[in-house]
Amino acid sequence: MKAETLFWQQCAQAVTADGSIDAQRLMDLVIATYRSHESDYGEIERSVETLLRETRALKGEVASVTQAFEEQKELFEVILDNLPLGLSVFDADQRLSFSNTRFRQLFGLKREDVDAGATIADLIGRIRGTESAGARPDQRSRKHSTATARNDSLRRREWRMDDGRIIQSMVTILADGSSIAIHADITDDRKAAERITYLAHHDPLTGLPNRIHFREQVDAALAERRPDEQIALVHLNLDRFKSINNTMGASAGDKILQQVADRIRASAGGNILARLGSDEFAILQTGRQQPWNVTALADQIRRELSEPFLRGEKQMELSVSMGIAVAPGDGEETDVLLKHAGVALSHAKADGRKRERFFTDEMEAQMQLRHALEADLRAAMQKEEFELHYQPLYDLSQRRICGFEALIRWNHPIRGRVSPMDFIPLAEELGLIVDIGRWVLRQACSDAAQWPEEIKVAVNVSAIQFSGTDLPQDVSEALAAASLSPSRLELEITESVLMENLSEVLPILHALKERGIRISMDDFGTGYSSLSYLSSFPFDKIKIDKSFVNDIADNKEAHAIMRAIILLGDALGMRVTVEGVETAAQVALLECEECDEIQGYYISQPRPARDIPHLLSLPPKTAA
Ligand code: C2E
Ligand code: MG
Ligand code: MG
């Protein structure tokens, strides 16, 4: 209350009944007021002192808090500036409110570029690079990346810098419109990812797309196929490449495969090419009239690959077999088209290699029959459906049987008797020949042990038995089990055995020969370069194929060839057996030519083991 107002109040209280002021009373009132105020003042003084004390304490606290805050701030700045990640904060007006050193480094910005208040547009204008669409190179991850990028509060942006670096920004947008972004250099990660993707889709040896990639390309081509468009798929396989690999070594094989890939690439032109496996390639031809274009392509590839390959000074030759399937006729799905091209390829191989075959429905039917045969063949061993028959080898000068060739027979409960011509090649392909061959050796040795001492037994051996097993070991075990002398065993091999893998086969043949086992060259004359193989190993015997004997009685040329081969065998010190002798006229002629041995229906058909004593008891058979 104002002093004046208070005084007038006190005056009013001191007024007497007659209207005058009682001075004494006024004095008392004033003095009382003064006294009461005096005690208040002391109170105030004390409060002010307390207040001052507390303020001083508070000031001290504020100072220490401020110092702590400054220290924390410095620490944060050191941490943020040394983060391997860039950091930027934009306010709701999209103006920069904070950024760290790494942010500047990543985007190549100067200190003044990142002054607070700079807008996103300012910064984008200053960086040396452009925003890429965040696109990944492949379709699937692009889908994935856009899904992440569209997340409401989280956005992914990507920048391709002029120096080649890729910067990725993960931007978190807050509710008030401000944003915090973390930026990283993902160049190395991206390169590694691209490399992994590349390796997953390419063959490292030739750089060609691999099977996975090829399938994707076929999928895409079939999906985009116009209704009237034909798409040809060629499945290529090098002929006998395995033997090249075995003979020359894997690294030479690799070099040749690279050269093959280059040549196929040159022929394939703009068509899609891939390496499906070791010596398997595939080509997809789209948008062309078929079958003419793919036939021309196959011709060109065959021509290219028929040129000799050079390895050091050595030249070597290759050939290729091809199976072709054309969509939509041969299938409209990748699996079907690939399968049918594969079926056609098997037929090209079976038809003598070095050629191409177009898929036909009959091939499919044959394939199914083959699968059924395969299943039966796998079970035949356990079911003991195999049997050996024996065909005499007849010594012409001694006019007696000197041995028997063991010929396998497969007695199938439903199929009846299956010819070895029909199942041996399949057994070879499936590798079953290893077990079958082992069984034949044991059975033949055990049967021969029952025969007179001077009678030998001949056993046919396939190429695979030389590479898939320890043949000398199998032979030793069979001989030991039967207590048969090695000198009574002859092994018959065809030229194909030598062709498959000469360097692997020769030491095995020598090892067998050293143990006293005889080695015969079977089906002589049906192979490719008989004479060179003949000189590669000292065979004990040449068996001239039955195709040479057919005409010798009536055809002068056939006779001359037969005479020449017999002389050749003599000159090389090898016994000569002529196979497939059916008539007395043929025998007479062969006797004249001083052929050592004959084998054929004229002497006897192959017979079961139980008939052998009877065959041995027959009188000598002559041309007369
Ligand atoms: P190969 O070793 O050349 O056997 C001779 C084939 O000619 C046999 O056919 C035999 O029955 C047949 N033959 C014999 N004399 C005559 C004749 O006067 N005229 C005619 N037209 N043919 C005659 P087979 O038994 O059908 O055997 C065919 C081939 O199967 C054999 O040819 C041989 O390469 C293979 N083979 C047979 N048994 C085995 C075996 O145990 N292991 C292996 N790896 N292959 C075998
Ligand atoms: Mg034979
Ligand atoms: Mg033969």
Side-chain angles (χ1 to χ4, degrees):
M1 190 182 299
K2 275 185 172 176
E4 194 184 337
T5 318
L6 182 64
F7 182 71
W8 282 117
Q9 269 180 13
Q10 288 164 342
C11 287
Q13 282 168 26
V15 173
T16 60
D18 59 2
S20 62
I21 288 179
D22 180 345
Q24 186 56 47
R25 180 155 169 76
L26 182 62
M27 261 330 234
D28 291 344
L29 283 169
V30 170
I31 286 166
T33 303
Y34 272 124
R35 283 202 181 134
S36 106
H37 273 253
E38 242 165 39
S39 73
D40 275 1
Y41 188 72
E43 191 90 330
I44 285 167
E45 248 181 3
R46 279 192 301 280
S47 298
V48 167
E49 263 166 39
T50 315
L51 212 60
L52 283 173
R53 238 191 352 268
E54 283 176 358
T55 306
R56 272 196 301 276
L58 215 58
K59 258 191 186 164
E61 268 175 42
V62 168
S64 66
V65 167
T66 309
Q67 193 187 344
F69 175 76
E70 285 300 326
E71 281 169 13
Q72 289 283 326
K73 198 177 147 210
E74 266 170 40
L75 182 66
F76 271 123
E77 273 171 8
V78 171
I79 292 172
L80 291 177
D81 278 343
N82 287 284
L83 268 187
L85 299 170
L87 184 72
S88 62
V89 181
F90 285 87
D91 63 18
D93 297 328
Q94 311 303 310
R95 289 182 179 277
L96 186 65
S97 55
F98 174 82
S99 66
N100 67 352
T101 312
R102 185 73 184 133
F103 172 75
R104 290 204 315 273
Q105 289 169 347
L106 283 174
F107 288 102
L109 294 166
K110 295 198 210 71
R111 193 174 281 276
E112 56 268 29
D113 292 335
V114 293
D115 282 342
T119 63
I120 292 185
D122 292 340
L123 294 179
I124 289 178
R126 284 170 206 157
I127 65 173
R128 293 221 181 81
T130 46
E131 178 165 14
S132 54
R136 286 285 184 87
D138 77 325
Q139 201 84 18
R140 269 170 309 165
S141 39
R142 178 157 58 225
K143 274 187 209 145
H144 175 76
S145 94
T146 32
T148 322
R150 291 286 146 75
N151 188 316
D152 279 346
S153 58
L154 191 69
R155 279 205 189 134
R156 181 157 64 190
R157 303 179 76 168
E158 206 173 284
W159 312 85
R160 205 162 270 273
M161 307 308 288
D162 293 351
D163 58 10
R165 286 173 310 126
I166 303 167
I167 314 290
Q168 191 177 69
S169 307
M170 299 299 292
V171 187
T172 307
I173 297 159
L174 304 179
D176 64 355
S178 63
S179 61
I180 302 170
I182 290 169
H183 314 270
D185 184 338
I186 58 157
T187 318
D188 290 344
D189 291 354
R190 178 59 55 81
K191 274 189 188 149
E194 280 169 1
R195 181 87 193 129
I196 289 166
T197 309
Y198 179 85
L199 287 178
H201 286 84
H202 289 82
D203 157 47
L205 181 69
T206 58
L208 290 176
N210 63 10
R211 186 182 285 272
I212 297 170
H213 196 15
F214 185 68
R215 288 187 64 95
E216 289 172 356
Q217 288 171 309
V218 180
D219 282 344
L222 288 175
E224 287 159 17
R225 190 180 68 81
R226 295 184 309 277
D228 60 337
E229 186 191 350
Q230 288 184 307
I231 295 178
L233 195 158
V234 189
H235 189 164
L236 303 94
N237 185 281
L238 301 179
D239 297 328
R240 301 185 193 282
F241 184 73
K242 190 172 163 277
S243 67
I244 293 175
N245 228 15
N246 289 340
T247 328
M248 297 182 126
S251 78
D254 281 355
K255 290 212 178 75
I256 289 170
L257 278 174
Q258 285 169 332
Q259 292 176 26
V260 167
D262 288 344
R263 291 197 195 175
I264 300 179
R265 199 185 268 122
S267 305
N271 297 305
I272 294 168
L273 169 64
R275 182 176 176 214
L276 301 185
S278 62
D279 59 346
E280 284 180 62
F281 297 86
I283 301 176
L284 194 71
Q285 194 178 49
T286 55
R288 298 292 192 84
Q289 283 288 307
Q290 302 298 3
W292 306 282
N293 279 290
V294 73
T295 305
L297 176 66
D299 280 347
Q300 172 153 8
I301 291 172
R302 221 174 334 93
R303 263 199 312 278
E304 276 287 331
L305 294 185
S306 67
E307 291 293 318
F309 286 78
L310 280 176
R311 219 188 68 74
E313 277 143 49
K314 234 178 143 189
Q315 277 201 357
M316 54 144 309
E317 296 197 354
L318 266 183
S319 63
V320 63
S321 301
M322 289 175 260
I324 302 168
V326 182
D330 299 337
E332 295 181 70
E333 286 158 30
T334 304
D335 278 337
V336 178
L337 210 57
L338 270 168
K339 185 179 129 204
H340 286 170
V343 168
L345 174 64
S346 306
H347 277 261
K349 291 267 179 198
D351 292 351
R353 302 184 167 97
K354 300 183 180 186
R355 65 201 67 219
E356 73 266 2
R357 285 280 176 267
F358 279 87
F359 173 78
T360 62
D361 291 338
E362 294 80 67
M363 286 183 179
E364 176 86 338
Q366 280 180 34
M367 212 62 190
Q368 273 159 11
L369 287 176
R370 203 190 109 114
H371 284 315
L373 185 66
E374 191 182 312
D376 285 355
L377 187 57
R378 286 186 191 279
M381 197 64 157
Q382 267 83 40
K383 293 187 177 168
E384 298 186 0
E385 290 171 357
F386 293 123
E387 184 193 359
L388 287 186
H389 278 200
Y390 293 95
Q391 187 177 33
L393 295 157
Y394 192 83
D395 186 312
L396 273 183
S397 59
Q398 294 186 24
R399 295 179 186 238
R400 65 172 186 89
I401 291 172
C402 57
F404 290 92
E405 178 178 2
L407 294 160
I408 194 166
R409 299 292 176 258
W410 178 14
N411 303 310
H412 187 273
I414 296 159
R415 294 176 193 274
R417 179 162 288 169
V418 186
S419 159
M421 306 291 238
D422 293 332
F423 75 83
I424 292 285
L426 182 60
E428 288 176 337
E429 211 174 296
L430 300 173
L432 295 174
I433 196 68
V434 171
D435 283 341
I436 296 176
R438 214 176 266 138
W439 177 83
V440 172
L441 267 170
R442 286 193 157 245
Q443 189 61 43
C445 289
S446 132
D447 286 344
Q450 313 298 317
W451 308 338
E453 271 294 314
E454 69 281 8
I455 307 294
K456 298 187 172 63
V457 65
V459 173
N460 294 284
V461 183
S462 291
I464 294 161
Q465 291 176 264
F466 282 83
S467 52
T469 52
D470 187 350
L471 184 63
Q473 173 81 12
D474 289 348
V475 169
S476 297
E477 282 176 14
L479 289 170
S483 305
L484 193 75
S485 159
S487 62
R488 291 181 62 193
L489 178 64
E490 287 179 0
L491 297 182
E492 295 189 5
I493 64 160
T494 57
E495 279 172 295
S496 64
V497 172
L498 299 171
M499 284 172 61
E500 290 291 330
N501 191 356
L502 194 61
S503 64
E504 197 176 35
V505 168
L506 281 183
I508 299 175
L509 288 181
H510 281 289
L512 290 165
K513 198 176 160 90
E514 268 162 32
R515 288 186 205 175
I517 294 151
R518 287 157 195 273
I519 312 290
S520 310
M521 170 163 281
D522 201 359
D523 301 347
F524 181 75
T526 53
Y528 296 78
S529 49
S530 316
L531 298 179
S532 80
Y533 286 112
L534 212 50
S535 62
S536 67
F537 182 78
F539 288 96
D540 296 285
K541 184 189 277 188
I542 309 172
K543 296 185 78 177
I544 302 173
D545 190 71
K546 52 183 167 290
S547 56
F548 286 87
V549 85
N550 291 340
D551 290 346
I552 50 166
D554 351 86
N555 180 312
K556 273 189 185 159
E557 284 76 24
H559 183 172
I561 291 173
M562 180 60 81
R563 173 185 291 161
I565 304 177
I566 293 172
L567 286 173
L568 178 73
D570 273 351
L572 291 169
M574 299 172 187
R575 261 178 95 77
V576 175
T577 304
V578 175
E579 299 182 84
V581 178
E582 291 180 352
T583 65
Q586 291 166 343
V587 178
L589 210 135
L590 291 167
E591 269 179 331
C592 278
E593 296 301 341
E594 296 187 7
C595 165
D596 302 306
E597 263 176 39
I598 56 166
Q599 177 182 359
Y601 296 166
Y602 183 74
I603 303 296
S604 166
Q605 296 240 351
R607 307 292 314 160
R610 61 177 176 276
D611 291 358
I612 286 182
H614 169 70
L615 288 170
L616 288 173
S617 70
L618 291 174
K621 230 172 169 174
T622 57

